Amino acid sequence: MSLLVVGLSHRSAPVSVLERASLGVDAQTKLLQDTVAAEPATESAVLATCNRIELYADVDKFHAGVAELSTLLAQHSGVGLEELTPYLYVHYEDRAVHHLFSVACGLDSMVVGEGQILGQIKDSLARAQETHTAGRLLNDLFQQALRVGKRAHSETGIDRAGQSLVTFGLEQLSLGAPVEGWARGKKALVIGAGSMSSLAAATLARAGVAEIVVANRTSDRAERLAQILTEGDDTNVLARAVPMTSVPFELTRADVVVSCTGATGLVLTADAVAAGVESRTGGEAPVVDLDEEVSSAPLPPTSVGTEEGCPLDLSAVRPGFSVMGEAAVAGMDAATLEQHAAWAAGTTVDRRRTGRGGPEADAELIGALAATASTAGRIPERRRPEPVAEPPRPEPVLFLLDLAMPRDIDAAAHRLAGVRLVDIESLAEVSADAPMAADVDQVRRIVSDEVAAFGAAQRAAHITPTVVALRSMAAGVVAGEIARLEGRLPGLDDRHRAEITQTVRRVVDKLLHAPTVRVKQLAAEPGGAGYADALRTLFDLDPETVASVSRAEESTEKNAENRGPG
C-alpha cells in the first residue's frame, strides 16, 4: 500500500473555487467513508481549512487512486470534476509525506509560520479516528506531522516569519499600524465561536479592545467563549454573548467585526453592512465605484475654440482629458474632424487649397482618419488621457475581517464608503510577496530529515511481520524436534530435557539474529521493500501467517490510538 494525497489550496486555486469546494463537517465524514469504501483505498483522512482541502489515502494503485480521489472530491464539494481538475495537485509516497510535514510547519500556509494549522491537523486525525478510516499508515503520518510541526516551532524562529492568519488579517485592517494601538478602546463583534473565531476574540482582547460581543448560532458556545474572555488573567475586556438575530443591531455599535462561521451562505450582506454604517454616520453609505472611469459619451456639438486655433469648444470638453485624445473628438462632424486632425499635427488647413481636390497626401491622410472613425466609431487614441484625480474615500468607521471559507461577508462591502473589508482573497494577494525569514531554511532541513526518518521507519515496520513470522516458524521447528526427541528418549530426565531445549533454541536464535537484524536495516533504506518478499520466498513462509501477525499488531495499535492523537 502507498500514501497518496489529492487536494487544492490557495497556491493552486483562486479563492472563488476554494469557496465553492469547501466541505462542512458532515461532508468530510461522508467523504472519509466513501473513500475507504472505494476499491483503491484502505485508509483516508481529510484536511480541510479555510485555504486548503486535501484528501489523504492509503492506496494500492496510483493511477486508479488519483482518479477515484479526484472524483470523490468533486462529488462531495459540488464542483464539477472538469472544472476542479485544473486546480488539483497530487503527491505520492515520500512527496506526500514531505507535503504534510511542510503544511504542519506552516511552510505552505498563506502566512508562513502560522501555528493554527497544527490544531487543524489534530482535528483531522481525530475525525478520521472517530470514523475508523485511519489505519496504521495515516495514524503514524498525522501523529508524526504534529511532532514535526511542534519541533519546527520550538527549535527555530519560524514564528518570526509570519503570524497567525488572525494577526495578519488585523494588521491589514490597521493598515500596518500596531494592532495594539489601533484596537485599543474599540468595540468588537465576533461572529462564530469555533477555533478561528475564538483565536480572533482572544487576540482582540489582548490588543486592548474595550468590549467583545460574541454571536453564534449555538448560544452555549457563545456564552462559554464570552466567559473565558471575561475571566482571562491577561485581559481586561467586557465580553457578552448574543444570538445571531442581534447581529444587525450590534453592527450599529461595533467598530471591528470578525466573522468565521461554517455557514454555506452569506452571514452579512452588503445591505446589512450599509445599514450599520448609516446608523453610525447618520446618512446613507454611498457606494464607491473602485473601477470608475470618466465616461467617454459623445460631447455636445463642437464649434471653433479659442486656444491657438483649436477647432474644439473647450468648454464642452470634460476636465482632465487632453484635447488630443479620443474623448475630445468623439462625435464631431467630418469638417471639424479634418480641422482637428490638421491642428493636432501642428499645421493648419487651407480649405481653398485642399478641399476635395487637394494634394494626394492630404487626401490619403484625411481618408484614413475618416475611414477609421467610421469603422471604429471614434478616432484612435494618440496620447493617454491625463490622470483624473479620484475623490478620496472617507475614513472607515467599520472594519470587517472575514476569515471564513466560503466567505461570510458579501464582497460588495468593499465598495461601501466608510467600510474597510479584509477577507481571504485580499489576504492571499497581500501575502503572496511576503518576505521569508532565514529560519525557513532551517525548518526545511528539519522537514527533509523527518521525511527520511519516517520513510525508514515505515519500511522497517513493513518487514517486521515477516521477521516475526520467521521467528515463529523457527520456534515451531524447535518445539517439533524437542517433541520428537522425547519420543525417541522417553527416559530423559527433566534437567537434561530442559538443557537440550535451551541449547537448540540458542542455536536457532544465533543463526537468525544476524540476518534478521541486517534485513531490517536494509529494508529501512530506499528500495528496501523487496527484502520482505525475499524472506518469505527463501524460508517458504505462509503469507497468511505474515498477514495474521500484521492484523494482530494493527489491532493492538488501534486500541492505543483510539484514545486520541497525542
Side-chain angles (χ1 to χ4, degrees):
M1 303 300 284
S2 302
L3 177 64
L4 175 67
V5 56
V6 177
L8 66 161
S9 73
H10 65 284
R11 296 187 183 274
S12 68
V15 172
S16 58
V17 175
L18 281 173
E19 192 174 44
R20 292 168 54 210
S22 62
L23 299 171
V25 174
D26 292 341
Q28 292 179 44
T29 301
K30 187 67 166 61
L31 176 56
L32 290 172
Q33 295 169 340
D34 289 352
T35 301
V36 295
E39 182 179 347
T42 58
E43 302 181 32
S44 66
V46 174
L47 178 57
T49 73
C50 59
N51 53 23
R52 77 176 61 249
I53 304 165
E54 297 176 344
L55 177 56
Y56 291 77
D58 187 8
V59 300
D60 57 1
K61 298 175 183 177
F62 172 74
H63 294 290
V66 171
E68 188 66 33
L69 266 59
S70 301
T71 301
L72 288 168
L73 272 177
Q75 289 175 349
H76 289 78
S77 67
V79 180
L81 182 59
E82 290 186 1
E83 183 181 357
L84 191 65
T85 298
Y87 305 112
L88 294 177
Y89 48 77
V90 174
H91 297 296
Y92 190 57
E93 292 286 37
D94 285 352
R95 288 303 308 170
V97 177
H98 189 281
H99 174 73
L100 181 59
F101 288 3
S102 297
V103 169
C105 294
L107 292 180
D108 198 58
S109 295
M110 186 178 294
V111 182
V112 175
E114 63 95 7
Q116 184 78 8
I117 188 64
L118 283 175
Q120 294 162 335
I121 291 175
K122 186 175 182 180
D123 291 342
S124 296
L125 175 56
R127 186 170 296 110
Q129 290 176 338
E130 290 169 2
T131 55
H132 305 291
T133 61
R136 173 190 288 175
L137 176 61
L138 292 186
N139 271 297
D140 289 349
L141 176 69
F142 274 69
Q143 290 183 6
Q144 185 66 18
L146 291 171
R147 288 190 287 267
V148 174
K150 293 175 183 177
R151 179 187 170 193
H153 285 279
S154 64
E155 296 183 13
T156 75
I158 189 65
D159 294 323
R160 295 192 298 267
Q163 315 86 351
S164 72
L165 202 59
V166 170
T167 305
F168 189 61
L170 292 175
E171 287 185 353
Q172 299 309 307
L173 279 184
S174 65
L175 293 172
V179 173
E180 290 76 9
W182 168 81
R184 191 168 302 281
K186 285 183 167 61
K187 296 178 180 179
L189 169 63
V190 176
I191 305 176
S195 58
M196 188 72 79
S197 298
S198 299
L199 178 60
T203 303
L204 286 168
R206 288 193 296 269
V209 295
E211 179 186 32
I212 295 179
V213 177
V214 182
N216 192 59
R217 285 183 172 82
T218 305
S219 59
D220 291 347
R221 297 188 67 178
E223 292 170 357
R224 182 166 177 260
L225 176 56
Q227 182 181 4
I228 292 173
L229 294 170
T230 302
E231 297 175 352
D233 296 333
D234 57 345
T235 62
N236 184 25
V237 64
L238 297 175
R240 56 189 176 87
V242 299
M244 290 293 290
T245 54
S246 298
V247 167
F249 170 74
E250 297 298 339
L251 274 177
T252 67
R253 303 179 63 257
D255 303 299
V256 184
V257 178
V258 180
S259 186
C260 187
T261 72
T264 56
L266 293 176
V267 175
L268 291 181
T269 64
D271 289 342
V273 175
V277 174
E278 181 181 353
S279 66
R280 298 173 62 92
T281 59
E284 184 177 353
V287 174
V288 179
D289 189 350
L290 301 180
D291 299 318
E292 180 180 9
E293 296 181 357
V294 178
S295 172
S296 58
L299 298 173
T302 59
S303 60
V304 176
T306 57
E307 182 179 328
E308 299 180 359
C310 175
L312 299 181
D313 181 1
L314 296 182
S315 64
V317 179
R318 289 195 64 161
F321 276 98
S322 166
V323 292
M324 310 284 279
E326 63 181 48
V329 300
M332 70 172 58
D333 57 70
T336 311
L337 169 63
E338 177 188 347
Q339 294 182 49
H340 181 271
W343 177 83
T347 62
T348 58
V349 177
D350 185 350
R351 302 295 300 175
R352 294 169 299 177
R353 182 178 66 84
T354 56
R356 288 185 179 274
E360 183 179 348
D362 287 347
E364 291 179 356
L365 172 62
I366 294 171
L369 283 170
T372 301
S374 64
T375 302
R378 56 192 173 91
I379 297 294
E381 181 68 69
R382 298 298 183 186
R383 196 173 88 185
R384 296 183 63 184
E386 296 173 4
V388 180
E390 294 184 2
R393 285 175 65 93
E395 289 295 320
V397 296
L398 183 59
F399 297 85
L400 308 173
L401 178 58
D402 185 0
L403 298 174
M405 185 62 68
R407 72 185 76 210
D408 279 347
I409 303 176
D410 191 346
H414 274 293
R415 299 161 57 88
L416 295 174
V419 172
R420 177 165 175 76
L421 169 61
V422 173
D423 54 21
I424 292 295
E425 189 166 10
S426 56
L427 286 176
E429 293 173 357
V430 173
S431 65
D433 299 322
M436 301 279 281
D439 299 275
V440 169
D441 288 335
Q442 186 177 353
V443 173
R444 285 174 174 158
R445 288 192 292 271
I446 289 175
V447 169
S448 295
D449 292 343
E450 292 286 355
V451 169
F454 182 82
Q458 289 297 307
R459 288 187 291 270
H462 179 69
I463 201 171
T464 298
T466 303
V467 172
V468 171
L470 173 60
R471 289 188 171 276
S472 177
M473 183 196 73
V477 171
V478 169
E481 289 301 317
I482 293 298
R484 181 171 174 272
L485 180 64
E486 289 180 347
R488 297 181 61 182
L489 299 174
L492 198 63
D493 58 59
D494 293 342
R495 184 173 67 84
H496 287 95
R497 183 185 300 105
E499 185 64 33
I500 293 172
T501 301
Q502 187 66 23
T503 299
V504 174
R505 287 176 177 169
R506 279 199 301 266
V507 170
V508 171
D509 287 343
K510 288 182 178 180
L511 287 173
L512 292 180
H513 176 73
T516 53
V517 170
R518 183 58 179 153
V519 78
K520 287 183 178 181
Q521 295 172 344
L522 292 171
E525 298 176 0
Y531 285 98
D533 294 333
L535 272 184
R536 287 193 293 269
T537 301
L538 288 172
F539 289 93
D540 195 21
L541 297 176
D542 182 10
E544 180 55 35
T545 302
V546 177
S548 64
V549 174
S550 298
R551 288 194 295 268
E553 290 183 353
E554 290 176 359
S555 177
T556 301
E557 292 174 357
K558 183 172 291 187
N559 291 334
E561 288 159 354
N562 282 340
R563 292 193 293 268

Short mmCIF file of all heavy atoms in Angstrom, two decimals, residues 14-56:
data_model
loop_
_atom_site.label_atom_id
_atom_site.label_comp_id
_atom_site.label_asym_id
_atom_site.label_seq_id
_atom_site.Cartn_x
_atom_site.Cartn_y
_atom_site.Cartn_z
N PRO A 14 -7.96 29.69 -7.25
CA PRO A 14 -8.46 31.00 -6.80
C PRO A 14 -9.42 30.83 -5.64
O PRO A 14 -10.01 29.76 -5.45
CB PRO A 14 -9.18 31.55 -8.04
CG PRO A 14 -9.52 30.35 -8.86
CD PRO A 14 -8.44 29.35 -8.61
N VAL A 15 -9.57 31.89 -4.89
CA VAL A 15 -10.43 31.83 -3.71
C VAL A 15 -11.87 31.47 -4.09
O VAL A 15 -12.55 30.76 -3.34
CB VAL A 15 -10.39 33.19 -2.96
CG1 VAL A 15 -11.43 33.22 -1.84
CG2 VAL A 15 -9.00 33.42 -2.39
N SER A 16 -12.32 31.92 -5.25
CA SER A 16 -13.69 31.61 -5.66
C SER A 16 -13.92 30.11 -5.79
O SER A 16 -15.00 29.60 -5.45
CB SER A 16 -14.00 32.30 -6.99
OG SER A 16 -13.08 31.89 -7.99
N VAL A 17 -12.91 29.37 -6.26
CA VAL A 17 -13.03 27.92 -6.38
C VAL A 17 -12.95 27.26 -5.01
O VAL A 17 -13.73 26.36 -4.67
CB VAL A 17 -11.94 27.35 -7.32
CG1 VAL A 17 -11.99 25.83 -7.34
CG2 VAL A 17 -12.13 27.90 -8.73
N LEU A 18 -12.00 27.70 -4.18
CA LEU A 18 -11.89 27.17 -2.82
C LEU A 18 -13.18 27.38 -2.05
O LEU A 18 -13.62 26.51 -1.29
CB LEU A 18 -10.73 27.85 -2.09
CG LEU A 18 -9.31 27.38 -2.41
CD1 LEU A 18 -8.31 28.29 -1.75
CD2 LEU A 18 -9.11 25.95 -1.95
N GLU A 19 -13.77 28.52 -2.25
CA GLU A 19 -15.01 28.86 -1.55
C GLU A 19 -16.12 27.89 -1.91
O GLU A 19 -16.85 27.39 -1.05
CB GLU A 19 -15.38 30.29 -1.93
CG GLU A 19 -16.47 30.90 -1.10
CD GLU A 19 -16.66 32.36 -1.45
OE1 GLU A 19 -16.67 32.69 -2.67
OE2 GLU A 19 -16.81 33.17 -0.54
N ARG A 20 -16.25 27.59 -3.18
CA ARG A 20 -17.31 26.68 -3.63
C ARG A 20 -17.02 25.23 -3.25
O ARG A 20 -17.94 24.43 -3.07
CB ARG A 20 -17.47 26.80 -5.14
CG ARG A 20 -18.04 28.14 -5.60
CD ARG A 20 -17.91 28.31 -7.08
NE ARG A 20 -18.49 27.18 -7.79
CZ ARG A 20 -18.08 26.74 -8.97
NH1 ARG A 20 -17.07 27.33 -9.57
NH2 ARG A 20 -18.66 25.72 -9.55
N ALA A 21 -15.74 24.88 -3.14
CA ALA A 21 -15.37 23.49 -2.87
C ALA A 21 -15.27 23.18 -1.38
O ALA A 21 -14.95 22.05 -1.02
CB ALA A 21 -14.04 23.17 -3.55
N SER A 22 -15.52 24.15 -0.53
CA SER A 22 -15.35 23.93 0.91
C SER A 22 -16.28 22.83 1.41
O SER A 22 -17.37 22.63 0.89
CB SER A 22 -15.62 25.24 1.67
OG SER A 22 -16.95 25.65 1.47
N LEU A 23 -15.81 22.12 2.45
CA LEU A 23 -16.55 20.97 2.99
C LEU A 23 -16.92 21.21 4.44
O LEU A 23 -16.05 21.55 5.26
CB LEU A 23 -15.69 19.70 2.89
CG LEU A 23 -15.28 19.25 1.48
CD1 LEU A 23 -14.27 18.11 1.60
CD2 LEU A 23 -16.48 18.81 0.68
N GLY A 24 -18.18 21.03 4.76
CA GLY A 24 -18.59 21.07 6.15
C GLY A 24 -18.21 19.78 6.87
O GLY A 24 -17.71 18.83 6.26
N VAL A 25 -18.45 19.73 8.17
CA VAL A 25 -18.07 18.55 8.97
C VAL A 25 -18.79 17.30 8.47
O VAL A 25 -18.17 16.23 8.31
CB VAL A 25 -18.37 18.80 10.46
CG1 VAL A 25 -18.11 17.53 11.27
CG2 VAL A 25 -17.52 19.94 10.99
N ASP A 26 -20.07 17.40 8.21
CA ASP A 26 -20.82 16.23 7.74
C ASP A 26 -20.32 15.76 6.38
O ASP A 26 -20.20 14.55 6.13
CB ASP A 26 -22.31 16.57 7.66
CG ASP A 26 -22.94 16.79 9.03
OD1 ASP A 26 -22.34 16.35 10.02
OD2 ASP A 26 -24.01 17.42 9.09
N ALA A 27 -20.00 16.71 5.50
CA ALA A 27 -19.49 16.35 4.18
C ALA A 27 -18.13 15.68 4.29
O ALA A 27 -17.82 14.74 3.54
CB ALA A 27 -19.41 17.58 3.29
N GLN A 28 -17.30 16.12 5.23
CA GLN A 28 -16.00 15.50 5.43
C GLN A 28 -16.16 14.05 5.89
O GLN A 28 -15.45 13.16 5.42
CB GLN A 28 -15.19 16.30 6.45
CG GLN A 28 -14.76 17.68 5.98
CD GLN A 28 -13.99 18.42 7.04
OE1 GLN A 28 -13.11 17.86 7.71
NE2 GLN A 28 -14.30 19.69 7.24
N THR A 29 -17.06 13.83 6.83
CA THR A 29 -17.29 12.48 7.34
C THR A 29 -17.76 11.55 6.22
O THR A 29 -17.27 10.42 6.09
CB THR A 29 -18.33 12.51 8.47
OG1 THR A 29 -17.85 13.36 9.53
CG2 THR A 29 -18.57 11.12 9.01
N LYS A 30 -18.68 12.03 5.41
CA LYS A 30 -19.18 11.21 4.30
C LYS A 30 -18.07 10.94 3.29
O LYS A 30 -17.97 9.82 2.74
CB LYS A 30 -20.34 11.93 3.62
CG LYS A 30 -21.05 11.09 2.55
CD LYS A 30 -21.78 9.89 3.17
CE LYS A 30 -22.74 9.24 2.19
NZ LYS A 30 -22.11 8.70 1.00
N LEU A 31 -17.22 11.92 3.04
CA LEU A 31 -16.10 11.74 2.11
C LEU A 31 -15.13 10.67 2.63
O LEU A 31 -14.64 9.83 1.86
CB LEU A 31 -15.37 13.06 1.90
CG LEU A 31 -14.11 13.03 1.03
CD1 LEU A 31 -14.40 12.47 -0.34
CD2 LEU A 31 -13.50 14.43 0.92
N LEU A 32 -14.85 10.69 3.92
CA LEU A 32 -13.97 9.68 4.52
C LEU A 32 -14.55 8.28 4.32
O LEU A 32 -13.84 7.35 3.91
CB LEU A 32 -13.79 9.95 6.01
CG LEU A 32 -12.96 11.18 6.40
CD1 LEU A 32 -13.03 11.42 7.90
CD2 LEU A 32 -11.51 11.01 5.98
N GLN A 33 -15.81 8.14 4.60
CA GLN A 33 -16.45 6.83 4.49
C GLN A 33 -16.50 6.34 3.05
O GLN A 33 -16.23 5.16 2.77
CB GLN A 33 -17.86 6.90 5.07
CG GLN A 33 -17.88 7.18 6.58
CD GLN A 33 -19.26 7.51 7.09
OE1 GLN A 33 -20.15 7.90 6.33
NE2 GLN A 33 -19.46 7.39 8.41
N ASP A 34 -16.80 7.23 2.12
CA ASP A 34 -16.87 6.83 0.72
C ASP A 34 -15.48 6.50 0.16
O ASP A 34 -15.36 5.67 -0.75
CB ASP A 34 -17.51 7.95 -0.12
CG ASP A 34 -19.00 8.09 0.15
OD1 ASP A 34 -19.55 7.22 0.87
OD2 ASP A 34 -19.61 9.06 -0.33
N THR A 35 -14.46 7.13 0.70
CA THR A 35 -13.10 6.87 0.20
C THR A 35 -12.65 5.47 0.56
O THR A 35 -12.11 4.74 -0.29
CB THR A 35 -12.11 7.90 0.77
OG1 THR A 35 -12.52 9.22 0.39
CG2 THR A 35 -10.70 7.64 0.24
N VAL A 36 -12.85 5.05 1.80
CA VAL A 36 -12.43 3.70 2.18
C VAL A 36 -13.33 2.64 1.57
O VAL A 36 -12.93 1.48 1.46
CB VAL A 36 -12.37 3.55 3.71
CG1 VAL A 36 -11.30 4.44 4.32
CG2 VAL A 36 -13.72 3.84 4.35
N ALA A 37 -14.53 3.06 1.17
CA ALA A 37 -15.42 2.11 0.50
C ALA A 37 -15.01 1.90 -0.95
O ALA A 37 -15.39 0.89 -1.56
CB ALA A 37 -16.87 2.60 0.57
N ALA A 38 -14.24 2.83 -1.50
CA ALA A 38 -13.78 2.69 -2.88
C ALA A 38 -12.68 1.64 -2.97
O ALA A 38 -11.94 1.41 -2.01
CB ALA A 38 -13.27 4.04 -3.40
N GLU A 39 -12.53 1.05 -4.12
CA GLU A 39 -11.62 -0.09 -4.26
C GLU A 39 -10.15 0.23 -4.00
O GLU A 39 -9.47 -0.55 -3.32
CB GLU A 39 -11.77 -0.68 -5.67
CG GLU A 39 -10.91 -1.91 -5.90
CD GLU A 39 -11.10 -2.48 -7.30
OE1 GLU A 39 -12.06 -2.05 -7.96
OE2 GLU A 39 -10.30 -3.32 -7.71
N PRO A 40 -9.60 1.35 -4.51
CA PRO A 40 -8.14 1.51 -4.36
C PRO A 40 -7.68 1.86 -2.95
O PRO A 40 -6.50 1.75 -2.65
CB PRO A 40 -7.82 2.66 -5.33
CG PRO A 40 -9.03 2.87 -6.15
CD PRO A 40 -10.18 2.41 -5.31
N ALA A 41 -8.57 2.34 -2.06
CA ALA A 41 -8.15 2.90 -0.78
C ALA A 41 -8.56 2.02 0.40
O ALA A 41 -9.64 1.43 0.40
CB ALA A 41 -8.72 4.30 -0.60
N THR A 42 -7.68 1.96 1.41
CA THR A 42 -8.00 1.25 2.65
C THR A 42 -8.03 2.18 3.86
O THR A 42 -8.56 1.82 4.90
CB THR A 42 -6.97 0.14 2.92
OG1 THR A 42 -5.67 0.71 2.98
CG2 THR A 42 -7.00 -0.91 1.80
N GLU A 43 -7.43 3.37 3.73
CA GLU A 43 -7.45 4.36 4.80
C GLU A 43 -7.70 5.73 4.18
O GLU A 43 -7.39 5.96 3.01
CB GLU A 43 -6.10 4.41 5.55
CG GLU A 43 -5.66 3.10 6.18
CD GLU A 43 -4.33 3.26 6.92
OE1 GLU A 43 -4.08 4.37 7.45
OE2 GLU A 43 -3.55 2.30 6.95
N SER A 44 -8.25 6.66 4.99
CA SER A 44 -8.47 8.01 4.47
C SER A 44 -8.50 9.02 5.60
O SER A 44 -8.85 8.70 6.74
CB SER A 44 -9.79 8.08 3.68
OG SER A 44 -10.90 7.88 4.53
N ALA A 45 -8.11 10.25 5.27
CA ALA A 45 -8.18 11.39 6.18
C ALA A 45 -8.36 12.64 5.34
O ALA A 45 -7.83 12.74 4.24
CB ALA A 45 -6.93 11.49 7.05
N VAL A 46 -9.10 13.61 5.87
CA VAL A 46 -9.36 14.86 5.17
C VAL A 46 -8.81 16.02 5.99
O VAL A 46 -9.10 16.13 7.19
CB VAL A 46 -10.87 15.08 4.93
CG1 VAL A 46 -11.12 16.46 4.33
CG2 VAL A 46 -11.42 14.01 4.02
N LEU A 47 -8.01 16.86 5.35
CA LEU A 47 -7.53 18.10 5.98
C LEU A 47 -8.23 19.26 5.27
O LEU A 47 -7.89 19.58 4.13
CB LEU A 47 -6.01 18.22 5.85
CG LEU A 47 -5.38 19.49 6.43
CD1 LEU A 47 -5.72 19.64 7.90
CD2 LEU A 47 -3.86 19.49 6.23
N ALA A 48 -9.22 19.85 5.92
CA ALA A 48 -10.00 20.94 5.32
C ALA A 48 -9.88 22.17 6.19
O ALA A 48 -10.29 22.17 7.36
CB ALA A 48 -11.46 20.52 5.17
N THR A 49 -9.29 23.24 5.64
CA THR A 49 -9.14 24.50 6.35
C THR A 49 -9.72 25.60 5.47
O THR A 49 -10.29 25.35 4.42
CB THR A 49 -7.66 24.79 6.66
OG1 THR A 49 -6.98 25.15 5.44
CG2 THR A 49 -6.98 23.57 7.26
N CYS A 50 -9.54 26.86 5.91
CA CYS A 50 -10.10 27.97 5.14
C CYS A 50 -9.39 28.16 3.82
O CYS A 50 -9.93 28.81 2.92
CB CYS A 50 -10.04 29.26 5.94
SG CYS A 50 -8.38 29.74 6.45
N ASN A 51 -8.19 27.59 3.65
CA ASN A 51 -7.50 27.78 2.37
C ASN A 51 -6.89 26.50 1.81
O ASN A 51 -5.96 26.57 1.01
CB ASN A 51 -6.41 28.86 2.50
CG ASN A 51 -5.45 28.59 3.64
OD1 ASN A 51 -5.28 27.46 4.08
ND2 ASN A 51 -4.81 29.62 4.14
N ARG A 52 -7.43 25.34 2.21
CA ARG A 52 -6.98 24.09 1.60
C ARG A 52 -8.00 22.99 1.85
O ARG A 52 -8.69 22.99 2.87
CB ARG A 52 -5.60 23.66 2.11
CG ARG A 52 -5.56 23.04 3.48
CD ARG A 52 -4.15 22.57 3.84
NE ARG A 52 -3.24 23.71 3.85
CZ ARG A 52 -2.27 23.90 2.95
NH1 ARG A 52 -2.08 23.02 1.99
NH2 ARG A 52 -1.48 24.95 3.03
N ILE A 53 -8.08 22.09 0.88
CA ILE A 53 -8.90 20.88 1.01
C ILE A 53 -8.06 19.73 0.46
O ILE A 53 -7.76 19.71 -0.74
CB ILE A 53 -10.22 20.97 0.22
CG1 ILE A 53 -11.00 22.22 0.65
CG2 ILE A 53 -11.07 19.72 0.42
CD1 ILE A 53 -12.10 22.57 -0.30
N GLU A 54 -7.68 18.79 1.33
CA GLU A 54 -6.80 17.70 0.92
C GLU A 54 -7.35 16.37 1.40
O GLU A 54 -7.78 16.24 2.55
CB GLU A 54 -5.38 17.92 1.48
CG GLU A 54 -4.72 19.17 0.93
CD GLU A 54 -3.36 19.45 1.56
OE1 GLU A 54 -3.05 18.86 2.61
OE2 GLU A 54 -2.62 20.26 0.98
N LEU A 55 -7.30 15.39 0.51
CA LEU A 55 -7.76 14.04 0.82
C LEU A 55 -6.55 13.11 0.81
O LEU A 55 -5.88 12.97 -0.22
CB LEU A 55 -8.80 13.59 -0.19
CG LEU A 55 -9.35 12.16 -0.05
CD1 LEU A 55 -9.95 11.93 1.33
CD2 LEU A 55 -10.40 11.89 -1.13
N TYR A 56 -6.26 12.48 1.95
CA TYR A 56 -5.14 11.55 2.10
C TYR A 56 -5.70 10.13 2.10
O TYR A 56 -6.75 9.87 2.70
CB TYR A 56 -4.38 11.80 3.40
CG TYR A 56 -3.61 13.10 3.43
CD1 TYR A 56 -4.27 14.31 3.64
CD2 TYR A 56 -2.23 13.12 3.24
CE1 TYR A 56 -3.56 15.51 3.65
CE2 TYR A 56 -1.53 14.32 3.27
CZ TYR A 56 -2.19 15.50 3.48
OH TYR A 56 -1.49 16.69 3.48
#
